[in-house]
Amino acid sequence: MTLTQGHRHEAIKAKELVEHARGKACIADSGYSSAEIIEAIRAKGMKAVIAANPTHRGRPRLDRKLYALRYMIECSFHGLKRCRAVATRYEKTATNYLAIVHVACMLAWLN
């Protein structure tokens, strides 16, 4: 798990996350549809399953069956945000906030 600054988009860490990724496909939403992120995914030998931003021209075809699996991740984030301390980010330091997120993940896993 990686944290970004609160005012920055998480796509700034995409290349770092792709370096550690394993598998046959990388599934992401349209926020990650930049050419350099897709190229990094393909360089790892994975299939990029990313919905193209509607403003981009020449949008590639999307594997809808694989993209539907992204729903499980969205549900996981929704469950984490039910924990008030995670959703509102009471903790000001990144270390403390990451610890709260880890505890919330453990509680979700135990339930």
Side-chain angles (χ1 to χ4, degrees):
M1 188 170 297
T2 302
L3 286 180
T4 60
Q5 298 88 356
H7 61 280
R8 297 289 309 266
H9 191 274
E10 66 269 9
I12 61 171
K13 294 283 187 171
K15 284 186 181 179
E16 179 183 330
L17 294 172
V18 168
E19 288 176 14
H20 300 289
R22 291 179 299 194
K24 295 181 180 180
C26 181
I27 304 170
D29 67 355
S30 60
Y32 297 91
S33 66
S34 74
E36 61 184 57
I37 294 173
I38 292 172
E39 187 58 39
I41 293 168
R42 288 182 180 154
K44 289 274 297 187
M46 295 189 298
K47 179 180 181 178
V49 183
I50 301 174
N53 189 323
T55 61
H56 294 171
R57 290 185 180 175
R59 299 182 342 196
R61 292 191 57 199
L62 182 65
D63 186 339
R64 293 281 176 189
K65 288 184 180 181
L66 277 178
Y67 191 71
L69 296 175
R70 193 178 131 261
Y71 176 75
M72 292 189 300
I73 302 299
E74 294 295 331
C75 288
S76 300
F77 280 116
H78 174 71
L80 284 177
K81 289 186 177 183
R82 291 177 61 198
C83 177
R84 187 174 177 189
V86 173
T88 57
R89 194 169 180 159
Y90 285 133
E91 296 296 327
K92 299 300 179 203
T93 64
T95 304
N96 289 347
Y97 181 68
L98 187 58
I100 296 263
V101 172
H102 283 167
V103 169
C105 287
M106 287 186 289
L107 290 173
W109 181 67
L110 288 173
N111 287 330

